[in-house]
Amino acid sequence: MTERTYENILVETRPGSGANALSYGWITLNRPKALNALNDGLMDELGEALLAFDADDTVACIVVTGSEKAFAAGADILVMHPFDFPNAFRKGLISRNWDTIRQVRKPIIAAVSGFALGGGCEVAMACDFIIAADNARFGQPEIKLGIIPGAGGTQRLPRAVGKSKAMDLALTGRMMDATEAERAGLVSRVVPLAELHAEATKAAEAMCGYSLLALMATKESVDRAFESPLSEGLLFERRLFHALFSSADQKEGMGAFLEKRAPGFTHR
């Protein structure tokens, strides 16, 4: 993809490792003075960059990260405070640009260090999995502002950590550290802060060596588990499983396994 300069994020395309590997996108939230507070400008740019990587056939996956102090400390309260209901409803507050991440079909890794609170926690949860530094702090403190989470906090959080833990966090506004977040199922793994980007890079590079068709189908199938009953989810999974047998990558992957060599996927 042709990269451009943004005001609120940093964007780069990084090469995967290996002869046939695809590349991966790297997006850094970059409002350091505001602890990466999420305003319209940042969310518009994040959505644009995500969609550009999604449309790029040379990119396998995307990493979204922030600073050591904050992945994102929440939505920008200074911007939200003046809204009333008619304006929030008419202008699509949050709906207009926060939901763009749901359109992305390629895997997205959230590499989280520091604060991931309110909208920051919600953006991280909208990614496909979270790798957390040991200094990460997660929470939905909207109750302290007289509101509720509005970008998935009451919906994705209980799906990740269960009803009781989600109620605890949303009703008390407390933060949980990375160890508790991993134990509860919110994050996939916790690493020392100094190793966070290396760990995210390793995960991204692993995906860069796989079939893009299989990556996208896997993401779609896992997402389906949260949108449908088990019987429908199993049927959906089975049909995608069958469909991939018509791909060149299935023939190459299984052939390479039988021939004891590395596969050379063509993403067809």
Side-chain angles (χ1 to χ4, degrees):
M1 102 180 189
T2 302
E3 294 174 7
R4 75 170 184 85
T5 301
Y6 295 91
E7 292 184 12
N8 302 287
I9 61 174
L10 304 174
V11 176
E12 58 182 305
T13 303
R14 299 183 176 184
S17 59
N20 300 307
L22 295 172
S23 300
Y24 61 98
W26 192 282
I27 302 173
T28 304
L29 309 183
N30 189 40
R31 295 188 70 209
K33 293 181 180 179
L35 293 179
N36 292 332
L38 306 170
N39 61 10
D40 272 346
L42 189 153
M43 295 307 296
D44 285 343
E45 291 180 355
L46 177 60
E48 180 183 329
L50 286 170
L51 292 178
F53 280 132
D54 202 39
D56 189 336
D57 290 338
T58 69
V59 170
C61 59
I62 307 156
V63 176
V64 178
T65 192
S67 69
E68 289 188 0
K69 290 184 178 180
F71 177 77
D76 196 325
I77 306 304
L78 184 64
V79 173
M80 290 199 302
H81 178 255
F83 273 90
D84 56 18
F85 172 75
N87 285 328
F89 182 74
R90 187 173 64 251
K91 294 181 180 180
L93 178 63
I94 292 180
S95 306
R96 186 183 67 79
N97 46 16
W98 288 60
D99 287 345
T100 305
I101 194 168
R102 297 177 59 195
Q103 301 173 33
V104 179
R105 300 179 66 197
K106 293 175 181 175
I108 307 173
I109 303 167
V112 175
S113 53
F115 297 114
L117 305 176
C121 186
E122 289 169 316
V123 168
M125 289 191 293
C127 297
D128 295 305
F129 64 94
I130 301 171
I131 300 175
D134 53 12
N135 76 331
R137 299 293 183 271
F138 299 88
Q140 299 291 160
E142 288 87 350
I143 196 74
K144 298 179 181 180
L145 303 176
I147 58 172
I148 70 169
T154 67
Q155 302 302 304
R156 290 191 178 95
L157 191 59
R159 284 168 166 79
V161 304
K163 177 184 175 182
S164 183
K165 182 76 74 176
M167 285 287 196
D168 177 9
L169 293 166
L171 291 175
T172 69
R174 75 174 180 88
M175 291 185 288
M176 65 177 173
D177 63 20
T179 299
E180 182 182 358
E182 183 184 32
R183 188 170 64 243
L186 180 64
V187 307
S188 65
R189 53 186 113 162
V190 177
V191 298
L193 174 60
E195 298 175 16
L196 176 64
H197 285 186
E199 192 75 4
T201 295
K202 185 166 64 174
E205 289 186 344
M207 286 187 274
C208 287
Y210 301 145
S211 164
L212 182 56
L213 291 172
L215 288 172
M216 294 170 69
T218 299
K219 171 173 175 169
E220 191 171 357
S221 190
V222 173
D223 280 342
R224 190 76 169 205
F226 295 96
E227 305 289 341
S228 59
L230 177 60
S231 59
E232 291 300 317
L234 288 169
L235 178 61
F236 185 81
E237 175 192 73
R238 198 67 40 80
R239 288 296 174 263
L240 283 181
F241 174 75
H242 291 159
L244 286 173
F245 277 77
S246 68
S247 71
D249 283 348
Q250 175 266 331
K251 301 296 184 291
E252 170 62 15
M254 291 190 175
F257 177 83
L258 293 173
E259 295 165 14
K260 296 181 173 54
R261 60 175 175 82
F265 294 119
T266 57
H267 317 293
R268 294 183 289 111

